[in-house]
Amino acid sequence: MKRSTLLSALTLALVLASCAQTPAPSSSADSTEADTGGHAGHSHGNAFGHVTAVAPGPDLSKMPTNARLGEATVLRGTRLSAQALPANAQTSKVALKVLVLSSGAGDYGLDTAVSMLKESGVPYDVLDASKTTLTMSTLIDSSGIGRYQGIILTSNALYLPDYTSALDTAEWSDLFAYEKAYSVRQLALYGYPGVSPEDYGLRAVNSAATSTTSMQLVPGAQNVFSDLTGTPLPVQYAWTYPSTVEAVAGVVTTPLMVDPNGLVLAATSTVDGRERLLVTTAQNPSLMHTQLMSYGLLQWLTKGVHLGEHRRFFQADIDDYFLSSDHLDPDTMTLRNTPFRLSAADMLSLRDQQTQVQQQFPVASGFRYAMAFNGGGANINAPLACTDPGSSSPDGLTSVTKCIKDSFDWVNHTRDHLRMDVMNLSTAYAQIIQNVNIGNKLGLTLSRKSLVTGEHSGLGNMDPTDDGTHNDDDVNLPKQDLGLERSNPNVLTAAVNSRVSYLASDHSVASHWDASCPTCGVQHPMNSKIFLVPRWPNNVHYHVTNPQEAMASYNSIYAPGGTRPYWDHALNYSEFLDKESDLGLTHILDGGAFPHYMHETNLREYAPGMSLATDWVKATLSKYSLFSTLPVNTYRWDDLGNYLQRRTLEEKAKAKSTLSAVWERKTNLVTLTSTAGSVPVTLTGSILGTPYGAYQIQNRNVSGTARVFVAPK
């Protein structure tokens, strides 16, 4: 038994405020009932909603900035040297899996290590070194194959609260011997640049420790951080030990990142045939420098060969297309008597804005909006027009849509945007299939297998007392997350009967996404033919059309005196875009294939060539492009659902250990094994496949075994 440990005093945590729903402003106008019995071409319909208040930033009151380290004490083990390798050791073979060594309760680096691995789909084990003894059998299986292709230390010494190491001298010796014999790299996510338990050839500079700095790549460091542009990475809220290189016999140290004074913050080093990488800045999965470094750190650790992939996505869904929507009056903070509806000119401008985004940001050349449309607000008899038809068309929006339809992805949002939490089967089916028919008559290129219900209704986030009599009313019923088991079975059946496979869910609702797998979707527990694709909300609210309205709504929540005050002053629009693009950047970097959703109001051309939606898109992509060259993907909804479903099946197979791989490094041949039938497999580093960044990625199905050649970096 290992000695027990108290909660570590070195905890580094970043706690984001939970998402919550805030009621929309009260309206001075009477509620308007949506057209529930009309036909396409007879009514524009109305969409009503509620403001989803998204946490605007980190909870700074809970963020320590003094996760301090020091020279560690390593207790002497019972052995003087490493255990001998087993007689059958196959040192050229390692499983495609990573071992995370943790110091136990309160380990400030464990969340970072796990998050990094999950984002890329890399299988891993965690060993709590405060409780479990590390031995050669931990590292080498009975056949002599190495169990791990890489080792992550949550801190370089695996610090316990008293600054002793959770591993003793014998355990460190075993670890180092394994790394040398099996050519396994070691990554220390955060460490003190000293001599214990081993010397990296770095020394801390007295009085230089800080919690705010920046990290600049040194020449040649892009061999490790191949995706970074070279722009310094901002470091905030993270204790940092700037260092100098120290000449140490047998150690070759190569700096990777330095601070503004040229002091080292990250470096690789070699000793006795072992390769190590040490970062002297504390990490957390919600901090920008961690998110930006993670891809390069993991690719270095695995030599660019691993199960899974890290791919980045950016998609903006626009809900309620064709309908009229609530419209905020920023002076009275009530809803206007006249709802807002997009014009032909708005959409012609949006098409051009989208083209400008594609041209301005090479990393997002494939970006395009997805329009979640409600055909009950269209007029199928409106003539096609490629300029604003004015009064010559009964509905200019429909006329222009027929012209620009190929510029966007189109997703079924039901015909009339009715609330579907309590709805009979025939009505639910009619709402879905009639909208498909309208889309076909308009010539829209539909993501036919995908569906977004109004307010994500029908999925158990609802008023538990709802009796179904207000499905078509502008009533913001109080919602509770009752779980997916309270989904409306009629909606699920109607969706399946309409050939729908992928159903949008709300990432701000706990039951609508899988916390155990942050890049997975959710197979619906009540109907295996329905797969949920979580979508991110944001703080561009559903009833605002220009910056004045946007800031009035936002500041009514987060400014001093608001319903959930957070900032110390009312933000202006530029500050707002800066904060919101931070959140968008976070979602891109975490590798989840989840769209963001906005609303038709946010597409209004409030100034020539400008809309709230495109302002947010540009601000987010500007920030991303400043740091990274990795392309961001925008998929059609049907393709997105298929990608996410395959990824989820693969991740669940890895979690159950029914999918594994072994790398024979003499021949660079990877053997993939599935023990539970055919399963999707993604392999980064294959010699064949689709290029992404600096690596080739192969996607295939495996049943039993398959062999793939790889090209390590």
Side-chain angles (χ1 to χ4, degrees):
M1 289 287 292
K2 301 280 293 217
R3 57 190 179 281
S4 62
T5 179
L6 302 174
L7 182 66
S8 174
L10 304 176
T11 299
L12 177 67
L14 179 65
V15 181
L16 292 176
S18 60
C19 294
Q21 294 175 340
T22 302
S26 60
S27 175
S28 59
D30 294 334
S31 297
T32 304
E33 185 170 324
D35 175 21
T36 60
H39 301 282
H42 295 172
S43 171
H44 289 164
N46 293 282
F48 307 101
H50 57 272
V51 172
T52 300
V54 181
D59 186 348
L60 301 181
S61 68
K62 296 182 179 180
M63 191 185 309
T65 60
N66 61 343
R68 300 178 185 239
L69 304 179
E71 204 67 65
T73 299
V74 181
L75 301 180
R76 182 174 295 278
T78 56
R79 289 180 284 105
L80 297 180
S81 61
Q83 290 180 317
L85 296 179
N88 64 345
Q90 301 185 61
T91 57
S92 67
K93 291 184 178 181
V94 291
L96 292 189
K97 198 173 195 179
V98 168
L99 177 64
V100 179
L101 291 176
S102 165
S103 60
D107 187 328
Y108 49 82
L110 182 57
D111 285 349
T112 299
V114 169
S115 176
M116 177 188 303
L117 293 161
K118 285 186 174 181
E119 287 174 2
S120 294
V122 175
Y124 66 93
D125 288 330
V126 175
L127 185 143
D128 181 349
S130 71
K131 297 179 179 178
T132 303
T133 300
L134 178 72
T135 66
M136 279 297 181
S137 62
T138 306
L139 303 168
I140 304 170
D141 72 17
S142 59
S143 66
I145 296 173
R147 296 182 189 271
Y148 305 105
Q149 68 177 122
I151 305 294
I152 294 180
L153 307 177
T154 55
S155 64
N156 69 309
L158 298 178
Y159 290 88
L160 295 172
D162 59 0
Y163 288 83
T164 60
S165 172
L167 294 181
D168 63 27
T169 55
E171 291 170 296
W172 282 114
S173 294
D174 285 353
L175 179 65
F176 298 158
Y178 172 75
E179 291 172 351
K180 178 181 178 180
Y182 283 79
S183 298
V184 168
R185 287 175 171 172
Q186 176 200 106
L187 168 63
L189 285 175
Y190 174 41
Y192 184 78
V195 300
S196 180
E198 61 173 330
D199 199 328
Y200 292 86
L202 295 174
R203 296 294 181 270
V205 175
N206 290 335
S207 303
T210 179
S211 61
T212 303
T213 185
S214 64
M215 308 179 78
Q216 172 71 60
L217 293 180
V218 303
Q222 284 179 317
N223 291 332
V224 174
F225 299 103
S226 61
D227 63 308
L228 297 184
T229 63
T231 300
L233 310 185
V235 176
Q236 290 182 299
Y237 320 119
W239 199 250
T240 301
Y241 291 97
S243 310
T244 57
V245 176
E246 177 83 1
V248 177
V251 176
V252 178
T253 301
T254 305
L256 297 174
M257 290 187 169
V258 296
D259 71 4
N261 297 314
L263 298 177
V264 179
L265 303 181
T268 56
S269 60
T270 59
V271 62
D272 195 25
R274 295 170 49 236
E275 297 179 87
R276 308 164 299 176
L277 195 158
L278 172 69
V279 183
T280 66
T281 297
Q283 308 295 324
N284 183 277
S286 296
L287 293 177
M288 187 180 296
H289 71 276
T290 297
Q291 292 180 314
L292 288 165
M293 293 175 68
S294 290
Y295 176 78
L297 292 175
L298 191 58
Q299 294 305 113
W300 176 87
L301 178 69
T302 62
K303 303 180 182 179
V305 175
H306 59 82
L307 284 175
E309 67 170 355
H310 182 96
R311 189 177 293 271
R312 292 176 182 165
F313 295 84
F314 188 60
Q315 179 167 320
D317 293 353
I318 306 299
D319 290 4
D320 308 342
Y321 193 90
F322 287 131
L323 295 186
S324 299
S325 302
D326 292 343
H327 189 186
L328 178 69
D329 183 330
D331 296 322
T332 64
M333 292 303 292
T334 61
L335 300 179
R336 302 174 194 261
N337 291 325
T338 303
F340 173 83
R341 187 170 185 262
L342 283 169
S343 70
D346 291 328
M347 287 310 298
L348 290 168
S349 176
L350 186 75
R351 175 199 58 189
D352 297 339
Q353 292 170 38
Q354 179 174 274
T355 299
Q356 186 183 53
V357 168
Q358 295 165 350
Q359 294 172 346
Q360 183 177 346
F361 302 102
V363 294
S365 59
F367 172 80
R368 64 176 180 170
Y369 288 103
M371 301 297 174
F373 74 99
N374 304 96
N379 186 326
I380 59 175
N381 298 314
L384 181 150
C386 291
T387 59
D388 191 341
S391 60
S392 65
S393 170
D395 182 26
L397 178 60
T398 304
S399 290
V400 164
T401 298
K402 290 182 176 181
C403 176
I404 63 175
K405 59 184 175 60
D406 293 333
S407 297
F408 310 105
D409 185 26
W410 297 90
V411 187
N412 191 344
H413 196 27
T414 73
R415 191 191 72 179
D416 296 309
H417 202 280
L418 303 184
R419 190 173 288 110
M420 305 181 82
D421 295 318
V422 183
M423 180 177 283
N424 62 48
L425 178 59
S426 61
T427 303
Y429 178 76
Q431 282 293 311
I432 299 169
I433 203 65
Q434 288 180 18
N435 206 46
V436 172
N437 295 337
I438 293 168
N440 289 335
K441 290 177 180 178
L442 293 174
L444 306 181
T445 304
L446 301 179
S447 276
R448 183 65 181 81
K449 298 179 180 179
S450 303
L451 174 67
V452 182
T453 58
E455 297 185 10
H456 301 103
S457 57
L459 294 176
N461 184 42
M462 58 180 289
D463 175 6
T465 66
D466 190 355
D467 61 3
T469 59
H470 296 289
N471 289 343
D472 58 349
D473 287 356
D474 180 18
V475 177
N476 292 318
L477 300 174
K479 293 189 175 186
Q480 296 179 32
D481 182 8
L482 305 179
L484 290 176
E485 291 75 11
R486 281 292 301 272
S487 298
N488 185 347
N490 294 326
V491 171
L492 304 179
T493 300
V496 171
N497 292 347
S498 304
R499 295 170 45 203
V500 168
S501 300
Y502 310 121
L503 192 57
S505 61
D506 189 337
H507 205 294
S508 68
V509 177
S511 68
H512 284 197
W513 65 287
D514 185 351
S516 71
C517 182
T519 59
C520 291
V522 179
Q523 203 75 46
H524 201 290
M526 293 172 57
N527 193 316
S528 62
K529 295 181 179 180
I530 293 295
F531 184 80
L532 301 183
V533 176
R535 302 194 301 167
W536 293 108
N538 68 18
N539 281 313
V540 182
H541 296 153
Y542 86 101
H543 54 5
V544 298
T545 70
N546 62 34
Q548 181 188 8
E549 295 166 6
M551 298 321 301
S553 182
Y554 183 86
N555 285 324
S556 73
I557 301 172
Y558 297 120
T563 56
R564 292 175 57 189
Y566 182 89
W567 306 114
D568 62 2
H569 67 284
L571 300 192
N572 61 37
Y573 189 55
S574 177
E575 292 172 315
F576 166 78
L577 286 176
D578 180 55
K579 303 303 183 185
E580 285 301 299
S581 61
D582 277 348
L583 298 180
L585 175 61
T586 293
H587 296 157
I588 293 175
L589 295 175
D590 68 17
F594 306 138
H596 293 81
Y597 68 93
M598 305 172 81
H599 296 84
E600 62 101 20
T601 45
N602 309 143
L603 300 186
R604 177 188 175 188
E605 187 186 25
Y606 70 81
M610 302 181 76
S611 65
L612 295 178
T614 301
D615 288 349
W616 176 78
V617 166
K618 286 185 174 181
T620 302
L621 289 176
S622 292
K623 197 163 286 183
Y624 177 79
S625 298
L626 183 65
F627 297 109
S628 182
T629 61
L630 269 186
V632 292
N633 297 275
T634 302
Y635 289 172
R636 292 183 64 250
W637 244 90
D638 282 358
D639 296 332
L640 182 74
N642 179 64
Y643 172 87
L644 194 58
Q645 189 170 34
R646 285 180 60 85
R647 175 147 189 157
T648 300
L649 290 171
E650 180 177 355
E651 293 310 302
K652 296 301 181 182
K654 293 172 191 171
K656 294 177 181 178
S657 297
T658 60
L659 174 61
S660 60
V662 172
W663 179 11
E664 166 55 84
R665 286 176 297 183
K666 285 183 179 179
T667 59
N668 277 325
L669 187 65
V670 168
T671 301
L672 305 167
T673 302
S674 170
T675 59
S678 181
V679 65
V681 179
T682 308
L683 179 65
T684 294
S686 169
I687 63 170
L688 298 175
T690 303
Y692 185 67
Y695 303 92
Q696 296 269 115
I697 300 173
Q698 184 174 142
N699 296 281
R700 60 183 298 167
N701 285 4
V702 172
S703 179
T705 62
R707 291 174 175 81
V708 179
F709 284 101
V710 295
K713 298 290 186 179

